Amino acid sequence: MYTREQVRALTDRIFNMASGADAVQVEVNANERSGTRWANSTITTNLVQYDRQVTITVRRGSRQGSASTRDFGDAGLREAIGEAIDQAESANENANLPEWLGAQTYLDVDAVLPSGVGFGPAARAMMVKESLDLCDQMNVVGSGYIPKMYQATCTANTNGLFAFYAFAEAGFVLTCRTPDGAGSGWAGITGIKDIRDIDATALTRTAAGKALGSVKPRAIEPGRYTVILEPRANARFLSLMTGIFNQRNAEAGGNFLSGATAGTTKIGEKVFSDLFSLRSQVGHPVLRQTPIMNDLSPAAPVTWVEQGVLRTLSVDAALARERNIAPTPAAVNMSLVMDGADQSVEDIIRTTRRGLLVTFFWYIRGVDPATLLNTGMTRDGLFLIENGEIVGPVQNFRWNMSPLVGYNNVTAVGRPVPMHMGESYDGGNTAMIPPVRIEDFYMTSVSPAV
């Protein structure tokens, strides 16, 4: 992989080679995508994939051309530069070419740690063995995934821009089943920069314990329940509404965050529970996050919701230019932190009179875009709580719920952990997510899931 110094040396080489152009911009992408998968307590895949590419854009007057190559040698770069210049010379004049940014000052983030960089197949195999040995002891079958991403990106130009960002991260996700398939449990953590923060033994004990504890579930009626969403379930639930924090859409009306009169928003108004706060925190000590926005301007911390009050909406580059204001990033493009409290899931259970402990949501689908009503199912461990204690497993449910309603009904939050918000477990969508207790969560029908 490439360090800041190596990438700067590469871009400087290209600028020197392209001295015949009026201006040059270079995009560098280099990445390692690797992972280990196992099923039925046996490793099935060890994947390591490397890729790199440089895209060179040159300008000759008001004409522009681009070319890409994976050959970083002098001959390969000169060929790409020549192709870009040829393309520029044959292009039509364009008087509206946007001005490239000059030098920017970005927040200093440390997203590449030695433990993450060196987390190779052998280390992952040892982690899997540690997990499977415990599965054998607890008489469950383990299946899981350890993803690793190591990536360096940079956009640099002859105006002085050098927007470099690199990260290395991994995760550990595990599903345990009883040998007869009657019980299932899940545990995991994702988006980890420091591999020492992954405790495979503890996660395996949790997943195996849920698998064993979910056998012979009790049948209870559908209805509205107090639920405690563990971080994975809460991450998926939160992901259903991150797209609403948009200034243009809110001003257009018909949006949950639209104001009472045309062209206004609910900024400054209470829209969620007092216990709901949502931020984008560039420089978070646990999360990896880019300090560079999509338009290459510097990113900064953003508070979206503070104790239920809407504080900010995202402003895209076009709207920012129209109003001569600074853009703010879309919430989905920044590392999110849902604020929590210093209590565990067990602490929240102890203060719950009656409810359901939810491990996992799956097969979530939209029902009504206007209200963000969604439907989905529970799986991998659903447990009944009575008088502050788990009294046993219950059958899984299909649910219908909107996060706009759910996050108005929050009555407790716990300690946040890194958790991926999407259906997959890799990519740049990890947030700090706490467990939450939500009242009146609508379980509509019984689900056959395990």
Side-chain angles (χ1 to χ4, degrees):
M1 199 51 59
Y2 292 87
T3 65
R4 177 184 296 271
E5 292 73 24
Q6 289 169 326
V7 171
R8 187 178 290 279
L10 173 63
T11 57
D12 285 347
R13 278 171 59 208
I14 294 171
F15 296 154
N16 290 333
M17 291 178 180
S19 56
D22 296 332
V24 184
Q25 183 156 291
V26 178
E27 295 179 21
V28 180
N29 288 279
N31 66 77
E32 172 198 339
R33 177 178 175 266
S34 56
T36 299
R37 293 184 181 274
W38 64 103
N40 297 321
S41 292
T42 302
I43 290 179
T44 59
T45 305
N46 250 321
L47 164 73
V48 181
Q49 181 181 40
Y50 297 97
D51 193 17
R52 67 179 189 179
Q53 178 172 287
V54 61
T55 299
I56 302 166
T57 302
V58 302
R59 288 183 174 178
R60 301 289 293 269
S62 60
R63 294 174 296 178
Q64 178 172 292
S66 296
S68 298
T69 182
R70 287 181 167 84
D71 183 352
F72 286 16
D74 286 352
L77 294 176
R78 285 196 179 94
E79 183 178 353
I81 291 167
E83 184 179 336
I85 290 175
D86 289 345
Q87 189 180 106
E89 289 177 343
S90 62
N92 294 326
E93 298 278 349
N94 183 356
N96 296 316
L97 283 176
E99 182 70 19
W100 284 336
L101 286 181
Q104 304 289 307
T105 301
Y106 301 106
L107 291 173
D108 186 22
V109 301
D110 185 10
V112 178
L113 301 182
S115 67
V117 172
F119 191 43
R124 296 196 299 270
M126 291 303 296
M127 190 175 283
V128 175
K129 183 178 186 304
E130 176 186 339
S131 173
L132 293 182
D133 285 348
L134 182 56
C135 286
D136 288 343
Q137 294 173 27
M138 298 182 70
N139 194 30
V140 296
V141 178
S143 301
Y145 179 41
I146 300 176
K148 176 196 171 184
M149 290 286 292
Y150 181 18
Q151 184 173 38
T153 62
C154 182
T155 301
N157 63 37
T158 48
N159 286 356
L161 178 71
F162 190 78
F164 175 86
Y165 173 63
F167 72 88
E169 69 175 21
F172 181 97
V173 295
L174 173 69
T175 300
C176 288
R177 290 276 177 106
T178 55
D180 61 1
S184 183
W186 184 93
I189 194 167
T190 60
I192 298 298
K193 294 188 294 186
D194 191 342
I195 303 305
R196 294 172 297 183
D197 291 336
I198 300 177
D199 189 338
T201 296
L203 292 170
T204 303
R205 198 174 300 281
T206 297
K210 288 194 171 187
L212 296 169
S214 64
V215 175
K216 296 181 180 179
R218 169 182 167 186
I220 59 175
E221 290 296 318
R224 296 191 177 274
Y225 286 89
T226 297
V227 297
I228 299 172
L229 303 185
E230 291 192 345
R232 175 58 180 169
N234 189 29
R236 295 294 291 120
F237 196 53
L238 178 63
S239 74
L240 303 178
M241 76 169 193
T242 53
I244 70 170
F245 295 97
N246 182 285
Q247 180 88 20
R248 190 186 293 274
N249 291 347
E251 289 179 356
N255 184 300
F256 176 70
L257 302 180
S258 300
T261 58
T264 65
T265 71
K266 291 181 181 177
I267 290 178
E269 298 181 26
K270 190 171 183 299
V271 292
F272 294 110
S273 162
D274 292 344
L275 294 176
F276 184 81
S277 294
L278 189 65
R279 298 175 288 116
S280 291
Q281 187 176 343
V282 180
H284 191 279
V286 175
L287 293 178
R288 63 98 162 173
Q289 61 285 301
T290 176
I292 305 166
M293 290 175 56
N294 289 340
D295 65 355
L296 302 177
S297 63
V302 179
T303 296
W304 304 101
V305 179
E306 183 178 29
Q307 295 179 347
V309 177
L310 179 64
R311 295 298 186 197
T312 313
L313 291 170
S314 66
V315 176
D316 60 41
L319 185 60
R321 286 194 296 270
E322 288 174 18
R323 301 184 182 178
N324 195 28
I325 58 177
T328 54
V332 294
N333 292 334
M334 295 287 290
S335 288
L336 289 180
V337 175
M338 181 176 173
D339 286 353
D342 191 20
Q343 59 178 339
S344 65
V345 170
E346 291 73 23
D347 293 331
I348 301 175
I349 290 172
R350 280 191 285 271
T351 60
T352 302
R353 186 185 66 81
R354 190 171 191 270
L356 298 173
L357 175 64
V358 179
T359 301
F360 200 98
F361 283 154
W362 73 298
Y363 209 76
I364 301 174
R365 296 294 183 267
V367 175
D368 180 14
T371 63
L372 297 189
L373 179 65
N374 279 262
T375 187
M377 288 179 274
T378 66
R379 62 180 285 184
D380 296 322
L382 182 67
F383 301 93
L384 181 64
I385 301 165
E386 291 183 341
N387 298 319
E389 295 182 350
I390 293 177
V391 296
V394 295
Q395 88 288 307
N396 285 290
F397 283 113
R398 172 174 288 281
W399 52 268
N400 278 19
M401 197 70 182
S402 166
L404 305 178
V405 176
Y407 290 121
N408 262 294
N409 294 344
V410 176
T411 56
V413 293
R415 197 173 299 121
V417 298
M419 193 61 63
H420 206 269
M421 298 174 68
E423 290 187 354
S424 66
Y425 296 110
D426 43 21
N429 202 14
T430 293
M432 292 298 292
I433 302 291
V436 295
R437 185 173 64 204
I438 295 176
E439 306 298 328
D440 295 325
F441 200 96
Y442 189 23
M443 301 295 185
T444 58
S445 59
V446 172
S447 164
V450 177

